[in-house]
């Protein structure tokens, strides 16, 4: 009993000491509720709380403002320890909310408490995820993560201003990204991105590197969704090049999106890279691109459909099919060239159909003709199609232009102007 | 037992056939009479089933009936009088029930005190939750409880019944039944008879039962009661108890008296309102009544007051009553009942308080009756004194009743007129006697009355100040009978003469001038007591007991009851009463005729008795009213005339305005309190009972908890349960709470869906119908396969018609319905959904998530497979495969793809013009772009040809360059076309960008 009280009292004292001396580094671990099982001091406090039910009076030692933070915080620790995550989340949010910690944080002039605030932003997300898990396992509506999102927006508001605290904004933004991506409400990212990228108070280079990498990773993913491959490539490349090489898991996550983006830009990864980062699901895709094997691509997509759909690259990979066709045509062209260079630029449609049949692609002549037309239309193949004679007439000069980091020309539904301008570029 | 049960069943059936009810009711009454106590359980069950039918039943009607019966009883005998008093009591009770909400908690407590605590608590809980759905259960519970009560009281009960003359009772009951809507009537009739025998007891039981249930209990009952008329009265009673309890903890004293009074007369009327609940209770009550009677009477009175008062004023008045006489309470109830039944508008008009005063006046008379009745029956009751008085007072009472009676009949149609007057009078009298209580109402009343009074002729307008006229009116308003009036007139003359001699005629403040004491008439003795309010001159019998209590209550009541809530309550009631009046105006008339005839049918013996009494009463009432100066008084003597005038009044623009006003206030009140809109009673239809119940329950809730937190409300209990039987219904966007009478229950909706599906009419009609079905489903919170079917049907129709906004609504609903695990054509619609995403929103993330959601099983579905193939074709731009898929699209996927065809063709032609050289034959284009109707088989030249022209036309419209070769075949000049293509402005473009919203387009597209 006495020991439990002593432990709780000790925690309270350490907490107030850290606040009074403004030592963020010693305050942060005291807030890390979700890691209490791995943190001995917190663990003992959590157990002590269970023993000392009347710990509330211990708080009276602390001053009034900290008392409110601490009372909720201790309750959160206690609840978390007993596996009641919803309660833990609720208590923690109350402890962190604007009436308590956040309010204090606003009042502190310096940015000494940024670290504790990071901890809070992280903890609130973790606790919310656990609480949602608990809620949904009880058949209730999981809503805590959403609540955590709105709380973090408040935190963001507290940081978005002039002064030393602004560098913390990107960390909160990244936590928000995590929440939004998890919730599938990525459209909410837009407002945060806008304020990060347009507000003058923020200088992107000023932010901590780890936050910048995370930020670039998420915004790159957003660009993948939008099939904006050039921008996605740029952002993901930034993330990759700045990412700590020791963090292989992070690199893998970046590559998971970067590889499809690069593929659609016509850049193939080395097999070693895929193996190193355990991205073998892309191996057969790459293989199909190299061989012009449409069937292989389709199989690869089918095999890993769930994974690709979940990560959101399915549509990107599917679009690689045209490049596979291009590769196939190029192979036919090369073969014809070897046989008869003078007629190599005329590829009969029936040849293509036959090739596809070997690949067990059951396409009739109209469909193949359509594919040829699309290849030409998309600038993957230079030349024209003669309908009357059913022959693809290839340009004698560079009939299969390489993408070389350029995306294939536009989406199917791009307007006329766009098509024209692209042609000029070509 | 069995006989009763039969009677009940009869009544129920009759109720279903409202018109025929009368005859049945008569029979039912008798039977009920005999076996009132035993029938309990059967009753409840029957009631539960029949509840729906009863809905048509109206409270107002009940009141009317009550009034009549009371009259008849009066003439007949003391016993009959007692019955009359009973009726009054019943009315009172019913009112109380409506008000009951206020004191629910209190009621429950009290109840427990009286009865076993368990019973009280259980019913209570039931009533709370149950309102709508659970009411049956609750009613059952209540019935059980009642049964218990019955057993207890059983012994007393039988004696009582024997005591009273069955025939006389029957007569009254039959009357009431006639007055009421047939269906309602029967129940009421049955009730009354039952009540009459066990009468007082029965009421008591009801009250007690209601108590246990709390305010809610009445509601529950009401549901049941609808079936059994008797039950209604009971319910009314029950309701009252709750009020009573709250206000007056001292049940016993009042209880017996009031209970008896309440039971017979008003009860029936009120009962309808309170709902059928009374029915159950009645039988039970009869059994349990005796016991109850001894204690409960007071509560009844209190409840009355509250009800009548609705506003705090009312409460005050009530308190006063309670003090003065338990009897008075009964009468008060009566008056209140009248008010309520006739129209709440009265309350509003005359002030809440006014009704009470009126009640008090009348009630006094009534009380006398009740006392009489109770005395015989209850014996145990303290009433003996009352008894004697009652015998004397009977005549007075009769007059009062008569007036009331008329009012009740009118209530629906034009009750307001007659009743308000009565109330006004009463209030005036009260005001005179006790200004403190009635102050506000009294003034208003006086003003109103003033116009009437001049008729009395003591004063002539113009020569006297208006305040003096008001004073005179006031003084006359007090007068209960001719003798009083005469003396009053003399006194008045004297005063005025003196004043004019003094020269103070114009200077004196007549508004504050105290009224001179009225000489007690032979009958007036009783009256006076009541008039003066028990407080001042505590009634000889009950005073001692009541006074202290009454005072306490007086103080507490105003505080406890919110004015607002009270008003709201009043409004609600009013609405209920009024709307029915308007809507059922004709019905009422019919009822009237029925009523008249009914008596004869029911009990010939009674008839003879009844009729004469009626006339007498009328005469009496006419006299009283004339004195009051009501413009209608002249007509009142002739019933039919009276009615017509009442009707006219009810329909007069003024009246309508007032109603609207009240209506608005009511709505506001609802909103304020955050109540579900469902409750709003709207135009009552045949199924109006349901409506009323909810409204009542709501009201009660309001009152109870004007301070209650919204989250404490059990919203489930507010869910509407429709009663409309019409299959066809136009869609009208709800702007307020739905009226159950216009909401169709599930079975009907099912029929409606079939009707729409097989209807040959166009999409607009079907859309309208489906929207109304959807609305009804939503309002009733029906989430099942029917719901899915409705949405699927609508989604398909919308697809066919290209009504995408409607389709999207359905689709999103279906999404959540499917996710609830409700079966339907899930795959078909996920295919539609995917097509929609692919083709219309082009949102990759959404597409990904909808693809990820597809189960492996779903992917085997033909429609889903097709949709996935379409998606692939679109993402790759494969127009050939797209148009092939277009041709063999399953279900209605074609319709969705239709909307994308134009885009796809344009892209395709762009692609072709760029990649083909030098020309592309039109035939080929027509083939691959789906212009030909047949599947693209090249051999089938004939069929393709008819697509050719379309294709050529389409190409031209889009700027393609077409040449004709040597063979006369049209060709697309690819090179020329590649730079000349354009997307023409859609012909059906509309300013707001959504062509689906263009009316003309919409019409043309509707098949």
């Amino acid at each position: 009993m006495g020991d439990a009280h002593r432990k709780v009292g000790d925690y309270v004292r350490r907490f107030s000491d850290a606040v009074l001396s403004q030592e963020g580094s010693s305050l942060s671990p005291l807030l890390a509720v979700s890691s209490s099982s791995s943190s001995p001091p917190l663990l003992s406090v959590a157990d002590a709380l269970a023993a000392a039910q009347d710990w509330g009076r211990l708080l009276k030692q602390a001053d009034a403002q900290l008392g409110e933070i601490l009372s909720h915080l201790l309750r959160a620790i206690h609840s978390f320890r007993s596996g009641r995550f919803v309660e833990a989340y609720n208590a923690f949010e109350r402890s962190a909310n604007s009436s308590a910690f956040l309010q204090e944080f606003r009042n502190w002039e310096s940015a000494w408490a940024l670290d504790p605030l990071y901890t809070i932003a992280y903890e609130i997300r973790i606790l919310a995820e656990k609480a949602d898990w608990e809620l949904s396992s009880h058949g209730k509506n999981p809503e805590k993560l959403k609540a955590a999102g709105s709380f973090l927006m408040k935190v963001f508001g507290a940081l978005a201003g002039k002064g030393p605290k602004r560098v913390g904004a990107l960390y909160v933004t990244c936590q928000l990204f995590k929440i939004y991506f998890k919730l599938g409400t990525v459209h909410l990212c837009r407002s945060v991105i806008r304020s990060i990228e347009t507000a003058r108070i923020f200088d992107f280079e000023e932010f901590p590197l780890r936050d910048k990498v995370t930020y670039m990773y998420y915004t790159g993913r957003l660009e993948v969704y939008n099939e904006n491959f050039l921008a996605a490539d740029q952002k993901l490349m930034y993330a990759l090049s700045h990412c700590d090489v020791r963090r292989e898991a992070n690199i893998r996550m970046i590559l998971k999106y970067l590889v499809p983006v690069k593929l659609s830009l016509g850049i193939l990864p080395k097999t070693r890279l895929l193996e190193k980062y355990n991205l073998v699901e892309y191996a057969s895709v790459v293989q199909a691109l190299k061989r012009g094997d449409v069937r292989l691509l389709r199989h690869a997509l089918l095999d890993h459909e769930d994974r690709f759909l979940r990560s959101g690259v399915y549509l990107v990979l599917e679009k690689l099919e045209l490049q596979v066709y291009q590769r196939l045509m190029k192979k036919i062209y090369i073969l014809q060239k070897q046989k008869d260079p003078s007629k190599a630029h005329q590829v009969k449609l029936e040849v293509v159909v036959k090739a596809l049949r070997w690949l067990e692609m059951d396409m009739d002549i109209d469909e193949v003709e359509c594919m040829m037309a699309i290849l030409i239309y998309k600038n993957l193949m230079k030349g024209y199609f003669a309908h009357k004679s059913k022959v693809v007439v290839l340009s004698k000069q560079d009939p299969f232009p390489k993408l070389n980091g350029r995306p294939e020309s536009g989406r199917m539904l791009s307007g006329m102007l766009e098509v024209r301008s692209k042609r000029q570029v070509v | 037992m069995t006989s009763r049960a039969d009677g009940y069943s009869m009544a129920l059936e009759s109720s279903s056939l409202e018109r025929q009810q009368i005859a049945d009711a008569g029979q039912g009454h008798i039977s009920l009479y005999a076996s009132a106590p035993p029938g309990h359980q059967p009753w409840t069950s029957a009631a539960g089933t029949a509840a729906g039918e009863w809905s048509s039943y109206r409270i107002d009607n009940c009141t009317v009936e009550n009034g009549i019966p009371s009259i008849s009883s009066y003439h007949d005998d003391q016993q009959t009088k007692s019955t009359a008093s009973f009726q009054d009591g019943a009315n009172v009770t019913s009112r109380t029930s409506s008000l009951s909400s206020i004191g629910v908690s209190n009621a429950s407590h009290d109840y427990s005190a009286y009865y076993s605590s368990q019973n009280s608590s259980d019913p209570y809980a039931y009533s709370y939750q149950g309102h709508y759905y659970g009411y049956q259960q609750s009613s059952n519970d209540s019935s059980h409880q009642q049964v218990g009560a019955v057993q207890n009281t059983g012994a007393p009960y039988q004696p009582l019944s024997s005591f009273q003359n069955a025939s006389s009772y029957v007569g009254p009951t039959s009357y009431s039944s006639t007055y009421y809507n047939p269906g309602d009537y029967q129940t009421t009739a049955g009730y009354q008879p039952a009540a009459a025998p066990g009468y007082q007891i029965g009421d008591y039981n009801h009250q007690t039962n209601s108590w246990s249930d709390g305010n809610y209990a009445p509601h529950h009952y009401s549901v049941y009661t609808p079936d059994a008329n008797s039950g209604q009265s009971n319910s009314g009673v029950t309701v009252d108890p709750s009020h009573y309890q709250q206000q007056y903890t001292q049940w016993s004293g009042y209880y017996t008296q009031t209970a008896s009074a309440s039971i017979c007369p008003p009860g029936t009327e009120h009962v309808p309102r309170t709902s059928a609940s009374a029915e159950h209770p009645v039988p039970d009550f009869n059994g349990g009544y005796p016991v109850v009677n001894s204690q409960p009477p007071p509560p009844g009175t209190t409840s009355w007051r509250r009800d009548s008062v609705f506003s705090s004023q009312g409460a005050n008045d009530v308190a006063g009553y309670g003090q003065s006489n338990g009897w008075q309470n009964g009468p008060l109830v009566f008056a209140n009942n009248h008010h309520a039944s006739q129209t709440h508008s009265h309350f509003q008009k005359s002030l809440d308080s006014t009704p009470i005063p009126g009640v008090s006046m009348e009630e006094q008379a009534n009380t006398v009756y009740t006392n009489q009745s109770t005395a015989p029956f209850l014996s145990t009751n303290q009433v003996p004194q009352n008894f004697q008085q009652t015998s004397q007072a009977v005549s007075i009472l009769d007059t009062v009743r008569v007036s009331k009676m008329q009012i009740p009949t009118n209530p629906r149609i034009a009750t307001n007129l007659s009743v308000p007057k009565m109330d006004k009078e009463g209030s005036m009298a009260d005001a005179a006697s006790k200004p403190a209580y009635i102050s506000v109402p009294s003034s208003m009343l006086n003003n109103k009355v003033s116009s009437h009074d001049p008729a009395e002729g003591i004063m002539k307008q113009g020569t006297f100040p208006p305040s003096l006229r008001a004073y005179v009116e006031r003084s006359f308003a007090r007068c209960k009978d001719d003798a009083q009036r005469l003396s009053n007139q003399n006194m008045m003359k004297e005063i005025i003469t003196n004043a004019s001699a003094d020269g103070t005629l114009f200077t004196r403040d007549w508004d504050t001038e105290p009224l001179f004491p009225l000489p007690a008439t032979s009958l007036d003795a009783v009256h006076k007591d009541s008039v003066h309010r028990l407080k001042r001159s505590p009634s000889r019998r009950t005073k001692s007991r009541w006074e202290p209590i009454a005072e306490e209550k007086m103080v507490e009541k105003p505080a406890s009851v919110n004015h607002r809530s009270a008003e709201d309550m009043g409004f609600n009631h009013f609405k209920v009463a009024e709307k029915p009046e308007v809507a059922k105006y004709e019905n009422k008339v019919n009822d009237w005729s029925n009523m008249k005839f009914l008596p004869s049918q029911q009990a010939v013996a009674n008839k003879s008795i009844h009729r004469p009494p009626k006339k007498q009463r009328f005469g009496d009432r006419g006299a009283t009213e004339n004195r009051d100066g009501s413009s209608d008084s002249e007509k009142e003597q002739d019933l039919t005339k009276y009615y017509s005038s009442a009707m006219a009044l009810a329909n007069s623009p003024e009246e309508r305005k007032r109603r609207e006003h009240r209506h608005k206030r009511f709505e506001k009140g609802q909103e304020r309190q955050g109540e579900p809109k469902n409750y709003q009673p709207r135009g009552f239809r045949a199924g109006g009972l349901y409506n009323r119940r909810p409204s009542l329950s709501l009201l009660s809730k309001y009152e109870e908890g004007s301070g209650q937190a919204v989250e404490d409300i059990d919203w489930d209990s507010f869910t509407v349960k429709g009663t409309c039987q019409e299959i066809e219904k136009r869609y009208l966007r709800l702007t307020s709470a739905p009226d159950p009478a216009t909401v169709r229950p599930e079975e009907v909706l099912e029929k409606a869906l079939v009707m729409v599906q097989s209807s040959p009419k166009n999409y607009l009609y079907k859309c309208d119908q489906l929207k109304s079905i959807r609305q009804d489903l939503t309002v009733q919170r029906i989430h099942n396969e029917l719901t899915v079917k409705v949405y699927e049907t609508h989604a398909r129709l919308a697809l066919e018609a290209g009504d995408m906004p409607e389709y999207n609504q359905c689709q999103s609903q279906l999404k959540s319905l499917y996710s609830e695990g409700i079966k339907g054509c899930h795959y078909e619609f996920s295919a539609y959904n995917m097509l929609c995403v692919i083709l219309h929103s082009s949102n990759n993330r959404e597409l990904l998530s909808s693809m990820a959601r597809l189960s492996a099983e779903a992917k085997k579905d033909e429609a889903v497979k097709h949709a996935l193939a379409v998606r692939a074709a679109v993402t790759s731009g494969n127009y050939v495969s797209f148009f092939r898929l277009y041709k063999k699209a399953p279900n209605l996927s074609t319709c969705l793809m239709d909307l994308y065809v134009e885009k796809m063709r344009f892209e395709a032609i762009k692609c072709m013009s760029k990649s083909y050289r030098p020309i592309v034959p039109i035939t080929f284009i027509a083939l691959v772009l789906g212009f030909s109707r047949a599947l693209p088989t090249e051999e089938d030249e004939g069929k393709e040809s008819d697509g050719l022209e379309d294709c050529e036309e389409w190409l031209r419209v889009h700027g393609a360059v077409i040449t004709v070769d040597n063979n006369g075949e049209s060709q697309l000049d690819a090179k020329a076309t590649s730079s000349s293509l354009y997307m023409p402005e859609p012909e059906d473009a509309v300013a707001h960008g959504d062509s689906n919203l263009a009316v003309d387009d919409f019409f043309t597209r509707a098949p």
Side-chain angles (χ1 to χ4, degrees), chain A residues 45 150 322 328 366 371 395 403 417:
Chain A
V45 168
S150 50
L322 278 183
L328 180 66
D366 280 341
M371 288 318 298
S395 163
L403 288 171
L417 283 177

Side-chain angles (χ1 to χ4, degrees), chain B residues 586-628:
Chain B
E586 295 180 359
N587 288 339
K588 286 187 176 182
V589 177
N590 292 333
D591 291 347
W592 264 106
S593 60
N594 289 336
M595 287 188 55
K596 291 178 182 176
F597 295 109
L598 279 178
S600 61
Q601 290 181 352
Q602 287 184 345
V604 179
N606 289 336
K607 249 191 176 182
S608 60
I609 300 173
H610 285 293
R611 292 247 162 165
K614 274 188 177 179
K615 285 184 180 178
Q616 290 181 4
R617 290 172 191 172
F618 276 101
D620 290 345
R621 172 232 203 171
T624 51
E625 287 200 348
N626 283 334
R627 289 180 188 175
D628 293 341

Side-chain angles (χ1 to χ4, degrees), chain A residues 305 318 364 369 385 412, chain B residues 859 871 884 907 915-916:
Chain A
E305 189 178 75
E318 196 182 46
D364 72 16
E369 184 176 330
F385 187 82
M412 185 67 182
Chain B
K859 283 173 190 165
R871 183 204 58 77
R884 282 182 185 168
E907 279 304 317
S915 52
Y916 281 74

Side-chain angles (χ1 to χ4, degrees), chain A residues 184-187 222 224-227 305-306 308-315 318-319 321-322 363-367 369-379 383-388 390 409 411-416 419-420 423, chain B residues 842-845 847-849 851-854 859 868 871-872 874-881 884 900 903-904 906-908 910-912 914-921 924 927-928 936 938 965 967 971 977-983:
Chain A
T185 54
V186 293
H187 56 277
L222 286 176
V224 175
Y225 277 140
N226 299 332
E227 299 191 2
E305 189 178 75
D306 282 350
F308 293 149
L309 280 175
R310 243 181 295 120
S311 61
V313 296
Y314 183 90
L315 297 180
E318 196 182 46
K319 290 214 162 132
E321 196 173 276
L322 278 183
M363 293 169 78
D364 72 16
I365 199 157
D366 280 341
E367 270 185 275
E369 184 176 330
C370 174
M371 288 318 298
M372 296 303 109
I374 292 171
L375 281 177
I376 298 169
Y377 177 58
K378 299 244 178 182
N379 270 314
Y384 64 89
F385 187 82
H387 176 74
K388 212 171 182 180
K390 301 278 183 193
S409 69
R411 269 162 280 170
M412 185 67 182
L413 293 183
S414 55
M416 279 292 286
V419 173
R420 243 178 240 162
R423 213 184 302 152
Chain B
S842 68
N843 180 332
N844 282 332
R845 238 177 15 78
L847 175 56
L848 280 168
S849 70
M851 283 176 70
R853 269 202 303 273
L854 290 176
K859 283 173 190 165
L868 286 169
R871 183 204 58 77
V874 169
T875 45
S876 65
N878 190 332
Y879 47 85
V880 171
S881 113
R884 282 182 185 168
Y900 198 73
K903 268 190 204 168
M904 200 68 193
F906 188 69
E907 279 304 317
K910 252 165 52 180
C911 173
M912 289 167 103
K914 195 193 160 195
S915 52
Y916 281 74
R917 290 292 183 274
I919 46 117
V920 192
F924 175 75
L927 179 73
V928 295
E938 292 185 20
D965 71 357
N967 299 333
Q971 316 271 12
T977 301
S978 67
S979 55
S980 66
L981 278 180
Y982 65 93
M983 188 65 121

Side-chain angles (χ1 to χ4, degrees), chain A residues 138-157:
Chain A
H138 288 93
K140 289 175 191 158
N141 186 25
E143 55 189 9
K144 295 301 178 194
L145 197 55
K146 216 168 152 191
S150 50
F151 169 73
L152 287 181
M153 278 306 285
K154 263 190 254 173
V155 177
F156 184 83

Side-chain angles (χ1 to χ4, degrees), chain A residues 110-351:
Chain A
S110 75
W112 70 269
L114 264 185
D115 258 2
L117 194 70
Y118 291 163
T119 311
I120 282 176
Y122 174 77
E123 290 295 332
I124 198 119
R125 180 174 67 83
I126 299 300
L127 287 177
E129 281 170 11
K130 285 186 184 295
D132 275 359
W133 173 80
E134 186 185 330
L135 281 175
S136 53
S137 69
H138 288 93
K140 289 175 191 158
N141 186 25
E143 55 189 9
K144 295 301 178 194
L145 197 55
K146 216 168 152 191
S150 50
F151 169 73
L152 287 181
M153 278 306 285
K154 263 190 254 173
V155 177
F156 184 83
L159 293 167
K162 288 184 178 173
K165 293 176 197 167
R166 64 173 186 246
V167 296
L170 201 60
Y171 181 85
V172 177
T173 304
C174 292
Q175 296 299 328
L176 276 172
F177 282 165
K178 285 177 192 174
I179 289 173
Y180 292 153
F181 272 85
K182 182 142 194 166
L183 289 176
T185 54
V186 293
H187 56 277
L188 295 175
C189 297
R190 210 174 301 150
S191 61
V192 200
I193 292 173
R194 200 183 303 127
S195 58
I196 288 287
E197 293 186 348
T198 61
R200 288 189 188 165
I201 47 167
F202 294 125
D203 179 1
F204 191 74
E205 291 310 315
E206 194 182 271
F207 292 119
L209 187 60
R210 71 164 179 185
D211 297 341
K212 285 192 283 188
V213 170
T214 314
Y215 178 84
M216 282 304 194
Y217 164 73
Y218 279 110
T219 48
R221 278 184 64 180
L222 286 176
E223 297 297 351
V224 175
Y225 277 140
N226 299 332
E227 299 191 2
N228 206 345
F229 296 126
L230 284 177
D233 180 44
Q234 180 225 324
K235 287 176 190 292
L236 290 171
M237 278 305 287
Y238 182 97
L240 183 68
S241 56
H242 290 85
C243 187
D244 190 335
V245 286
R246 287 165 298 178
R247 303 277 180 177
E248 294 204 359
N250 288 351
I251 291 179
R252 179 175 182 269
M253 281 169 69
I254 296 169
L255 285 175
K256 215 158 120 185
Y257 294 92
L258 188 57
V259 169
V261 170
K262 289 281 188 193
L263 286 176
S264 58
L265 295 176
I267 298 166
L268 307 186
K270 292 198 169 98
T271 317
R272 217 176 38 210
L273 180 79
L274 297 179
E275 281 166 0
K276 182 179 177 188
Y277 293 101
N278 192 25
L279 294 167
V280 284
E281 66 261 33
Y282 292 126
S284 44
V285 177
V286 175
Q287 193 74 6
L289 276 171
K290 283 181 182 165
R291 289 200 206 146
D293 190 341
V294 181
R295 178 187 52 180
L296 184 61
L297 178 72
R298 293 199 175 174
H299 277 294
L301 281 174
L302 204 63
D303 290 344
H304 305 287
E305 189 178 75
D306 282 350
R307 188 182 304 190
F308 293 149
L309 280 175
R310 243 181 295 120
S311 61
V313 296
Y314 183 90
L315 297 180
V316 179
L317 294 176
E318 196 182 46
K319 290 214 162 132
L320 296 175
E321 196 173 276
L322 278 183
Q323 285 192 55
V324 179
Y325 279 116
Q326 182 205 34
R327 188 76 191 169
L328 180 66
M329 289 302 291
K330 193 171 177 181
K331 282 198 166 177
I332 295 172
Y333 172 73
I334 292 169
L335 284 173
Q336 282 191 347
K337 209 170 172 184
Q338 287 170 350
K339 210 190 276 175
D340 183 1
S342 61
K343 287 188 178 175
H345 65 281
Q346 290 193 2
V347 182
K348 286 183 181 163
L349 200 58
E350 58 195 49
V351 175

